[in-house]
Amino acid sequence: MQTVKIGNTNWQTSNIALGIMRMGTLSVPQSVAALQAAHEAGINLIDSADIYGNDPELGRGSSEIHFGQALKQSGLSRDDFYIQSKGGLYANAANQITRYDSSKEHLIAAVDGILRRTGIDYLDSFLIHRPDPLMEPEEIAAAFDELQASGKVRHFGVSNFNPQQLELLQSAVSQRLLVDQLQFGLGHTGMVDFGLHTNMTDQGSVDHDGGLLEYCRLHQLTIQTWSPFQYGTFAGTFIGNPQFPELNRELAKLAEKYQVSKNAIAVAWILRHPAHMQVLIGTMTPAHILDSAAGSDVTLTKQEWYDLYLAAGNELP
């Protein structure tokens, strides 16, 4: 398992992380098996959010409850993992997300809830889950300062923020923002398409993100890529999907060459980008965790990277 430096720090973690959004649907023994498989693969960063899991009895956050129970029963220790979670979404009594909430009060309560559910004393990193149109950067700064001073959070970042939102928040907070979680993969290549279609007027030239990929590289923010095997947003996976025959043929060819799975090749495609991204995988099946993690040790050639990009239905101008 290869490592990646988080932000501009010397904080090194595995370049593949395990997202536990689906852990709330598992039994505790199944959750233990997922954690043990991740540890066996060399994965040492766990990514969560306070809204992950919506068990009828436990409510929202059940994924973190299952994670905390599994960690205690797995034979692994808190120090085996960098544990990261997100907050800033508000759920009503019916467990429906009705607003984004980046107020100081909400963010501090979110972290307290995360620590209680997971049964740990601190988070290695805490991210603002979504940009809040009513965001007041000074309130977030006050929350970050209190959370850091209390020892509850060590590092901070965001998820799904564009460059101007990042600039606005960074102008107020004293901590360096280290992470931006963004969707990226062979089925979601917009950040790359825009750069390739510069000075053109076709669909690929439309900048949906404000030059986000280049911004993160210039400002040393680590991009953590979510839903790496999905096409669209939550439309489904392209792996083994008959809607993507050319892409699956290319994935299979390279999987045979490198003696890994197609999932591992899709991971390796992301990791080949010089932005030094970190891939968040969300599978809870131990075998799939292990076969996806194998992509960490595959270095595609430049031609193979472009072959996959083209096979995914893209073009080079």
Side-chain angles (χ1 to χ4, degrees):
M1 175 65 63
Q2 304 301 309
T3 61
V4 63
K5 186 171 71 171
I6 301 297
N8 67 334
T9 70
N10 291 320
W11 180 28
Q12 295 272 352
T13 72
S14 55
N15 61 2
I16 298 177
L18 183 69
I20 63 167
M21 183 173 69
R22 297 180 177 89
M23 194 168 276
T25 65
L26 305 183
S27 67
V28 174
Q30 289 171 324
S31 300
V32 168
L35 274 186
Q36 289 173 333
H39 185 258
E40 179 185 343
I43 293 171
N44 65 2
L45 192 143
I46 303 296
D47 175 71
S48 184
D50 61 353
I51 63 161
Y52 285 171
N54 192 9
D55 184 273
E57 295 182 3
L58 300 175
R60 286 203 179 269
S62 58
S63 290
E64 293 185 331
I65 295 173
H66 287 193
F67 168 76
Q69 294 170 340
L71 184 60
K72 290 177 182 177
Q73 296 182 27
S74 65
L76 301 168
S77 76
R78 166 67 179 85
D79 294 337
D80 287 321
F81 297 104
Y82 294 91
I83 301 175
Q84 168 180 285
S85 193
K86 301 180 287 292
L89 278 61
Y90 175 83
N92 63 17
N95 279 319
Q96 299 168 320
I97 302 298
T98 60
R99 70 172 185 264
Y100 299 159
D101 192 338
S102 57
S103 66
K104 176 184 176 183
E105 179 184 26
H106 180 81
L107 295 179
I108 290 174
V111 170
D112 287 340
I114 292 164
L115 297 180
R116 183 179 63 253
R117 286 188 295 274
T118 55
I120 60 177
D121 296 329
Y122 68 92
L123 288 172
D124 291 286
S125 52
F126 176 67
L127 314 184
I128 305 295
H129 202 155
R130 287 274 177 182
D132 174 9
L134 303 181
M135 173 176 74
E136 298 185 41
E138 294 75 17
E139 272 208 66
I140 296 176
F144 282 9
D145 286 345
E146 185 169 324
L147 290 167
Q148 189 173 62
S150 66
K152 294 177 181 178
V153 179
R154 295 185 171 180
H155 303 289
F156 297 90
V158 298
S159 181
N160 306 298
F161 273 51
N162 68 34
Q164 291 304 308
Q165 291 162 341
L166 282 159
E167 287 279 353
L168 178 62
L169 182 55
Q170 188 65 79
S171 72
V173 301
S174 58
Q175 300 83 4
R176 181 70 177 263
L177 299 173
L178 302 181
V179 168
D180 196 358
Q181 280 192 6
L182 303 164
Q183 188 178 13
F184 182 69
L186 278 163
H188 198 94
T189 59
M191 288 193 295
V192 168
D193 302 340
F194 163 66
L196 287 169
H197 291 251
T198 296
N199 200 36
M200 298 179 68
T201 58
D202 59 355
Q203 185 61 33
S205 69
V206 177
D207 178 10
H208 295 280
D209 310 301
L212 192 48
L213 177 58
E214 290 76 16
Y215 178 92
C216 288
R217 294 184 71 181
L218 283 168
H219 292 267
Q220 295 181 285
L221 274 93
T222 296
I223 295 174
Q224 294 179 337
T225 67
W226 55 269
S227 293
F229 310 129
Q230 297 277 319
Y231 65 96
T233 303
F234 296 111
T237 179
F238 55 80
I239 304 286
N241 190 327
Q243 294 183 61
F244 302 93
E246 187 177 351
L247 176 56
N248 276 280
R249 281 194 295 270
E250 194 65 31
L251 287 167
K253 182 180 79 174
L254 292 171
E256 183 176 2
K257 173 184 174 180
Y258 288 101
Q259 293 297 290
V260 295
S261 68
K262 290 194 288 186
N263 290 64
I265 296 299
V267 165
W269 185 84
I270 296 170
L271 296 178
R272 182 62 179 81
H273 195 281
H276 303 294
M277 301 180 195
Q278 185 175 45
V279 180
L280 303 179
I281 60 172
T283 178
M284 293 287 98
T285 304
H288 291 167
I289 292 171
L290 292 169
D291 68 35
S292 296
S296 174
D297 294 315
V298 173
T299 302
L300 299 174
T301 68
K302 287 188 174 183
Q303 189 60 59
E304 288 166 346
W305 189 92
Y306 275 101
D307 289 345
L308 285 164
Y309 180 75
L310 294 169
N314 299 300
E315 60 180 26
L316 296 178

